[in-house]
Amino acid sequence: MLIKHSKFKNTGIIFELLVRQITSDTLSGKNSEATNILKKYFGKTELGREYKLYENLLKRTNLTEGKAETIINTILETAKHLNRSVLKRQKYNLIKEIKNHYDLEEFFKTKLPHYKIQASIYTLIESIGENKNISLDQIINNKISIIEHLTSSSKQIKKSKPSVIDEFSTYDKDIRILTYKILLEKFNTKYSDFSENKKLILKEFINSVDNNDKLKYFYNDKINEFKTKLISLNKKTKNQVTKIKINEVSNLLIELNKKDKITNDHMVNLLQYCDLIEELQQVNGK
Protein backbone atom coordinates (compact mmCIF):
# COMPACT_ATOMS: atom_id res chain seq x y z
CA MET A 1 0.00 0.00 0.00
CA LEU A 2 1.28 3.44 -0.96
CA ILE A 3 0.98 6.29 1.52
CA LYS A 4 -0.41 9.34 -0.25
CA HIS A 5 1.28 12.61 0.66
CA SER A 6 -0.99 15.42 1.86
CA LYS A 7 0.32 18.96 2.26
CA PHE A 8 -2.69 19.63 4.50
CA LYS A 9 -1.30 17.13 7.00
CA ASN A 10 2.42 17.80 6.51
CA THR A 11 3.60 19.46 9.73
CA GLY A 12 6.81 20.84 8.20
CA ILE A 13 5.01 22.46 5.27
CA ILE A 14 2.27 23.98 7.43
CA PHE A 15 4.84 25.46 9.84
CA GLU A 16 6.81 27.12 7.03
CA LEU A 17 3.66 28.50 5.39
CA LEU A 18 2.54 30.01 8.71
CA VAL A 19 5.91 31.75 9.06
CA ARG A 20 5.51 33.16 5.55
CA GLN A 21 1.97 34.28 6.36
CA ILE A 22 3.22 36.16 9.43
CA THR A 23 5.71 37.98 7.20
CA SER A 24 3.05 38.82 4.63
CA ASP A 25 0.58 40.08 7.26
CA THR A 26 3.20 42.17 9.03
CA LEU A 27 4.37 43.85 5.82
CA SER A 28 0.73 44.62 5.05
CA GLY A 29 0.34 46.31 8.42
CA LYS A 30 -2.07 43.67 9.74
CA ASN A 31 -2.22 41.90 13.09
CA SER A 32 -1.27 38.39 12.03
CA GLU A 33 -3.56 35.62 13.24
CA ALA A 34 -0.89 33.22 12.02
CA THR A 35 1.29 34.27 14.98
CA ASN A 36 -1.33 33.12 17.47
CA ILE A 37 -1.91 29.90 15.51
CA LEU A 38 1.82 29.15 15.47
CA LYS A 39 2.15 29.70 19.22
CA LYS A 40 -0.97 27.68 20.00
CA TYR A 41 -0.22 24.58 17.93
CA PHE A 42 3.59 24.42 17.79
CA GLY A 43 4.46 24.95 21.42
CA LYS A 44 4.53 22.03 23.85
CA THR A 45 2.16 19.91 21.75
CA GLU A 46 2.33 16.70 19.74
CA LEU A 47 2.46 18.88 16.61
CA GLY A 48 5.41 20.75 18.08
CA ARG A 49 7.15 17.46 18.83
CA GLU A 50 6.55 16.19 15.29
CA TYR A 51 7.78 19.45 13.78
CA LYS A 52 11.09 18.99 15.62
CA LEU A 53 11.57 15.76 13.64
CA TYR A 54 11.16 17.65 10.34
CA GLU A 55 13.41 20.44 11.57
CA ASN A 56 16.21 18.06 12.58
CA LEU A 57 16.24 16.49 9.13
CA LEU A 58 15.86 19.68 7.11
CA LYS A 59 18.60 21.67 8.83
CA ARG A 60 21.34 19.06 8.38
CA THR A 61 23.47 18.65 5.24
CA ASN A 62 26.98 17.62 4.23
CA LEU A 63 26.96 14.48 6.41
CA THR A 64 28.44 11.07 5.73
CA GLU A 65 26.02 8.30 4.73
CA GLY A 66 26.65 6.58 8.05
CA LYS A 67 25.65 9.65 10.06
CA ALA A 68 22.65 10.22 7.78
CA GLU A 69 21.43 6.67 8.41
CA THR A 70 21.86 7.13 12.18
CA ILE A 71 19.85 10.37 12.18
CA ILE A 72 17.02 8.86 10.11
CA ASN A 73 16.80 5.81 12.40
CA THR A 74 16.76 8.04 15.49
CA ILE A 75 14.01 10.24 13.99
CA LEU A 76 11.88 7.18 13.12
CA GLU A 77 12.37 5.70 16.57
CA THR A 78 11.25 8.99 18.14
CA ALA A 79 8.25 9.14 15.79
CA LYS A 80 7.02 5.81 17.18
CA HIS A 81 6.37 7.50 20.54
CA LEU A 82 4.13 10.26 19.15
CA ASN A 83 0.49 10.04 20.22
CA ARG A 84 -1.17 9.45 16.82
CA SER A 85 -4.75 10.13 17.92
CA VAL A 86 -3.78 13.43 19.61
CA LEU A 87 -1.66 14.38 16.60
CA LYS A 88 -4.54 13.69 14.21
CA ARG A 89 -6.93 15.82 16.28
CA GLN A 90 -4.45 18.70 16.54
CA LYS A 91 -3.86 18.70 12.77
CA TYR A 92 -7.59 18.76 12.12
CA ASN A 93 -8.09 21.70 14.51
CA LEU A 94 -5.04 23.49 13.06
CA ILE A 95 -6.35 23.35 9.48
CA LYS A 96 -9.80 24.36 10.69
CA GLU A 97 -8.37 27.43 12.43
CA ILE A 98 -6.25 28.41 9.42
CA LYS A 99 -9.36 28.13 7.25
CA ASN A 100 -11.26 30.45 9.63
CA HIS A 101 -8.75 33.24 9.04
CA TYR A 102 -7.29 32.64 5.57
CA ASP A 103 -8.24 31.38 2.12
CA LEU A 104 -6.99 27.78 2.36
CA GLU A 105 -6.29 27.44 -1.38
CA GLU A 106 -4.27 30.67 -1.42
CA PHE A 107 -2.48 29.72 1.80
CA PHE A 108 -1.18 26.44 0.35
CA LYS A 109 -0.42 27.81 -3.13
CA THR A 110 3.15 28.97 -2.43
CA LYS A 111 5.88 26.70 -3.79
CA LEU A 112 8.44 25.66 -1.20
CA PRO A 113 12.09 24.86 -2.04
CA HIS A 114 12.20 21.71 0.10
CA TYR A 115 8.76 20.38 -0.83
CA LYS A 116 10.08 17.04 -2.12
CA ILE A 117 12.15 16.29 0.98
CA GLN A 118 9.29 17.37 3.27
CA ALA A 119 6.96 15.01 1.40
CA SER A 120 9.48 12.18 1.85
CA ILE A 121 9.73 12.89 5.60
CA TYR A 122 5.92 12.92 5.89
CA THR A 123 5.37 9.57 4.16
CA LEU A 124 8.26 7.95 6.04
CA ILE A 125 6.94 9.10 9.44
CA GLU A 126 3.40 8.07 8.48
CA SER A 127 4.64 4.58 7.58
CA ILE A 128 5.64 4.12 11.24
CA GLY A 129 2.07 4.63 12.41
CA GLU A 130 0.44 2.36 9.81
CA ASN A 131 -0.45 -1.22 10.67
CA LYS A 132 -1.18 -2.16 7.05
CA ASN A 133 1.36 -3.47 4.57
CA ILE A 134 3.33 -0.47 3.33
CA SER A 135 5.06 -0.41 -0.04
CA LEU A 136 8.70 -1.35 0.56
CA ASP A 137 9.71 0.56 -2.60
CA GLN A 138 8.13 3.73 -1.24
CA ILE A 139 9.96 3.45 2.08
CA ILE A 140 13.29 2.84 0.31
CA ASN A 141 12.76 5.75 -2.12
CA ASN A 142 11.86 8.09 0.73
CA LYS A 143 14.94 7.08 2.70
CA ILE A 144 17.15 7.59 -0.36
CA SER A 145 15.70 11.11 -0.91
CA ILE A 146 16.35 12.05 2.72
CA ILE A 147 19.88 10.57 2.66
CA GLU A 148 20.64 12.54 -0.52
CA HIS A 149 19.51 15.71 1.27
CA LEU A 150 21.53 14.95 4.42
CA THR A 151 24.69 14.14 2.44
CA SER A 152 24.35 16.99 -0.08
CA SER A 153 27.00 19.69 -0.20
CA SER A 154 26.51 23.43 -0.59
CA LYS A 155 29.45 23.62 -3.03
CA GLN A 156 27.14 23.51 -6.06
CA ILE A 157 25.69 26.88 -5.02
CA LYS A 158 29.11 28.48 -5.40
CA LYS A 159 29.34 27.69 -9.14
CA SER A 160 27.84 31.05 -10.01
CA LYS A 161 27.01 34.01 -7.84
CA PRO A 162 23.23 33.94 -7.29
CA SER A 163 20.95 36.92 -7.11
CA VAL A 164 19.55 37.95 -3.74
CA ILE A 165 16.26 36.25 -4.58
CA ASP A 166 17.96 33.04 -5.73
CA GLU A 167 20.18 32.96 -2.66
CA PHE A 168 17.32 33.65 -0.25
CA SER A 169 15.23 30.83 -1.70
CA THR A 170 18.03 28.29 -0.99
CA TYR A 171 18.51 29.20 2.67
CA ASP A 172 18.12 26.60 5.40
CA LYS A 173 14.73 26.90 7.13
CA ASP A 174 16.18 28.20 10.42
CA ILE A 175 18.21 30.85 8.60
CA ARG A 176 15.17 31.86 6.53
CA ILE A 177 13.01 32.30 9.65
CA LEU A 178 15.73 34.37 11.32
CA THR A 179 16.12 36.40 8.12
CA TYR A 180 12.38 37.08 8.10
CA LYS A 181 12.55 38.44 11.66
CA ILE A 182 15.58 40.63 10.98
CA LEU A 183 14.04 41.89 7.76
CA LEU A 184 10.82 42.87 9.53
CA GLU A 185 12.71 44.80 12.20
CA LYS A 186 14.74 46.64 9.54
CA PHE A 187 11.66 47.20 7.44
CA ASN A 188 9.72 48.84 10.29
CA THR A 189 12.54 51.33 10.91
CA LYS A 190 14.20 51.92 7.54
CA TYR A 191 11.08 51.85 5.35
CA SER A 192 8.55 53.46 7.66
CA ASP A 193 8.27 56.44 5.28
CA PHE A 194 7.78 54.26 2.20
CA SER A 195 4.60 54.77 0.21
CA GLU A 196 2.00 51.98 0.25
CA ASN A 197 2.88 51.13 -3.34
CA LYS A 198 6.56 50.57 -2.48
CA LYS A 199 5.66 48.52 0.57
CA LEU A 200 3.42 46.36 -1.61
CA ILE A 201 6.30 45.72 -4.04
CA LEU A 202 8.71 44.76 -1.26
CA LYS A 203 6.11 42.59 0.44
CA GLU A 204 5.29 40.68 -2.75
CA PHE A 205 8.93 39.99 -3.58
CA ILE A 206 9.65 38.75 -0.05
CA ASN A 207 6.51 36.68 0.37
CA SER A 208 6.61 35.07 -3.10
CA VAL A 209 10.37 34.60 -3.31
CA ASP A 210 9.96 30.92 -4.31
CA ASN A 211 7.09 31.45 -6.73
CA ASN A 212 8.63 32.75 -9.96
CA ASP A 213 5.35 32.58 -11.92
CA LYS A 214 3.48 34.60 -9.28
CA LEU A 215 6.27 37.21 -9.12
CA LYS A 216 6.37 37.43 -12.91
CA TYR A 217 2.61 38.01 -13.03
CA PHE A 218 2.92 40.69 -10.32
CA TYR A 219 5.83 42.35 -12.15
CA ASN A 220 4.03 42.45 -15.50
CA ASP A 221 0.88 43.76 -13.84
CA LYS A 222 2.89 46.59 -12.24
CA ILE A 223 4.64 47.38 -15.54
CA ASN A 224 1.29 47.84 -17.28
CA GLU A 225 0.00 49.91 -14.36
CA PHE A 226 3.06 52.19 -14.49
CA LYS A 227 2.77 52.55 -18.27
CA THR A 228 -0.83 53.74 -17.93
CA LYS A 229 0.14 56.23 -15.22
CA LEU A 230 3.06 57.59 -17.27
CA ILE A 231 0.84 58.12 -20.31
CA SER A 232 -1.60 60.02 -18.14
CA LEU A 233 1.15 62.08 -16.48
CA ASN A 234 2.76 62.85 -19.84
CA LYS A 235 -0.44 64.49 -21.02
CA LYS A 236 -0.46 66.76 -17.96
CA THR A 237 3.25 67.66 -18.18
CA LYS A 238 4.01 70.96 -19.89
CA ASN A 239 7.82 70.81 -19.84
CA GLN A 240 8.97 69.31 -23.16
CA VAL A 241 12.23 67.93 -21.75
CA THR A 242 10.29 66.10 -19.05
CA LYS A 243 7.90 64.74 -21.69
CA ILE A 244 10.83 63.28 -23.64
CA LYS A 245 12.23 61.64 -20.49
CA ILE A 246 8.83 60.16 -19.64
CA ASN A 247 8.61 58.67 -23.12
CA GLU A 248 12.09 57.18 -22.74
CA VAL A 249 11.12 55.57 -19.43
CA SER A 250 7.87 54.25 -20.96
CA ASN A 251 9.88 52.50 -23.64
CA LEU A 252 11.89 50.72 -20.93
CA LEU A 253 8.76 49.25 -19.36
CA ILE A 254 8.73 45.83 -20.99
CA GLU A 255 6.84 42.79 -19.74
CA LEU A 256 8.71 39.58 -18.95
CA ASN A 257 8.08 36.57 -21.17
CA LYS A 258 7.55 32.96 -20.10
CA LYS A 259 11.26 32.07 -20.18
CA ASP A 260 12.44 35.08 -18.16
CA LYS A 261 13.41 34.60 -14.52
CA ILE A 262 12.72 37.20 -11.84
CA THR A 263 15.81 38.66 -10.12
CA ASN A 264 16.42 41.31 -7.47
CA ASP A 265 17.12 43.79 -10.32
CA HIS A 266 13.46 43.60 -11.32
CA MET A 267 12.41 44.57 -7.80
CA VAL A 268 14.82 47.53 -7.82
CA ASN A 269 13.47 48.61 -11.21
CA LEU A 270 9.88 48.59 -9.94
CA LEU A 271 10.87 50.68 -6.90
CA GLN A 272 12.65 53.19 -9.13
CA TYR A 273 9.70 53.44 -11.52
CA CYS A 274 7.45 53.90 -8.51
CA ASP A 275 9.73 56.72 -7.25
CA LEU A 276 9.60 58.49 -10.60
CA ILE A 277 5.82 58.31 -10.84
CA GLU A 278 5.36 59.62 -7.29
CA GLU A 279 7.65 62.59 -8.03
CA LEU A 280 5.79 63.37 -11.27
CA GLN A 281 2.47 63.15 -9.45
CA GLN A 282 3.68 65.68 -6.90
CA VAL A 283 4.89 68.05 -9.61
CA ASN A 284 1.63 67.78 -11.49
CA GLY A 285 -0.52 67.81 -8.35
CA LYS A 286 -1.69 64.27 -9.18
Side-chain angles (χ1 to χ4, degrees):
M1 183 189 80
L2 286 174
I3 296 176
K4 188 177 180 181
H5 173 248
S6 171
K7 59 186 177 183
F8 299 100
K9 297 178 182 178
N10 189 309
T11 305
I13 287 175
I14 297 171
F15 181 91
E16 186 163 350
L17 290 175
L18 281 169
V19 172
R20 287 169 172 270
Q21 190 63 55
I22 292 169
T23 305
S24 176
D25 291 343
T26 305
L27 290 175
S28 300
K30 303 174 184 175
N31 289 324
S32 182
E33 289 294 336
T35 303
N36 298 326
I37 295 172
L38 201 65
K39 290 178 181 177
K40 180 178 178 180
Y41 289 95
F42 289 90
K44 295 179 180 179
T45 62
E46 286 303 289
L47 262 175
R49 288 179 64 200
E50 186 178 58
Y51 169 68
K52 286 296 180 183
L53 304 184
Y54 282 82
E55 184 182 39
N56 270 286
L57 288 172
L58 286 168
K59 71 181 181 181
R60 300 175 191 274
T61 55
N62 210 22
L63 301 177
T64 63
E65 285 193 20
K67 286 183 178 180
E69 284 276 7
T70 301
I71 289 171
I72 292 172
N73 291 335
T74 304
I75 292 295
L76 293 180
E77 186 61 35
T78 305
K80 290 179 182 178
H81 301 290
L82 291 172
N83 189 319
R84 292 286 160 182
S85 59
V86 172
L87 195 57
K88 185 178 180 180
R89 184 169 65 252
Q90 288 179 356
K91 286 185 181 182
Y92 174 82
N93 290 334
L94 170 60
I95 294 298
K96 185 179 178 182
E97 194 153 345
I98 292 172
K99 190 176 181 179
N100 286 340
H101 299 286
Y102 301 101
D103 182 317
L104 213 54
E105 185 179 348
E106 198 65 32
F107 182 84
F108 280 97
K109 188 181 287 184
T110 302
K111 292 180 181 178
L112 300 176
H114 300 302
Y115 185 90
K116 182 181 177 182
I117 184 69
Q118 286 175 322
S120 294
I121 295 170
Y122 170 85
T123 50
L124 197 58
I125 289 176
E126 287 299 306
S127 69
I128 297 298
E130 288 286 345
N131 295 321
K132 300 175 183 178
N133 292 326
I134 306 300
S135 167
L136 187 60
D137 285 341
Q138 185 181 30
I139 293 174
I140 292 171
N141 289 333
N142 288 332
K143 278 194 174 184
I144 289 172
S145 294
I146 297 171
I147 288 172
E148 285 176 349
H149 165 76
L150 292 171
T151 57
S152 65
S153 171
S154 59
K155 289 181 181 179
Q156 57 194 26
I157 301 173
K158 297 179 181 178
K159 289 181 181 179
S160 60
K161 188 176 179 181
S163 70
V164 172
I165 289 176
D166 289 334
E167 185 177 356
F168 187 75
S169 65
T170 60
Y171 282 175
D172 174 84
K173 178 179 283 189
D174 287 341
I175 297 175
R176 282 152 65 86
I177 293 171
L178 179 60
T179 304
Y180 277 140
K181 292 178 180 177
I182 294 172
L183 185 145
L184 290 178
E185 290 174 5
K186 297 290 184 182
F187 185 90
N188 289 332
T189 55
K190 187 173 181 179
Y191 304 113
S192 58
D193 58 342
F194 259 32
S195 67
E196 289 304 314
N197 214 352
K198 288 181 190 172
K199 286 180 181 178
L200 175 64
I201 292 169
L202 279 174
K203 170 208 157 189
E204 193 63 37
F205 269 78
I206 293 165
N207 193 45
S208 304
V209 68
D210 299 316
N211 194 333
N212 191 64
D213 290 338
K214 187 177 179 182
L215 276 180
K216 197 183 298 180
Y217 179 84
F218 174 80
Y219 180 86
N220 288 341
D221 190 53
K222 277 293 174 187
I223 288 296
N224 287 319
E225 177 190 322
F226 290 162
K227 274 185 179 180
T228 303
K229 286 183 178 180
L230 284 174
I231 291 170
S232 176
L233 287 166
N234 204 17
K235 291 177 180 177
K236 297 176 182 178
T237 302
K238 295 178 181 179
N239 188 296
Q240 291 302 314
V241 176
T242 304
K243 278 180 172 290
I244 293 171
K245 288 183 178 179
I246 291 175
N247 284 329
E248 289 176 354
V249 172
S250 294
N251 292 332
L252 294 174
L253 298 177
I254 301 171
E255 289 186 43
L256 297 173
N257 60 43
K258 290 182 178 179
K259 294 182 180 180
D260 289 330
K261 186 175 181 180
I262 287 282
T263 68
N264 44 295
D265 288 337
H266 292 108
M267 179 184 71
V268 173
N269 288 341
L270 285 184
L271 290 172
Q272 289 176 339
Y273 296 146
C274 192
D275 247 340
L276 173 64
I277 289 170
E278 286 173 5
E279 286 178 16
L280 287 171
Q281 286 176 333
Q282 287 179 356
V283 171
N284 290 287
K286 293 189 179 181

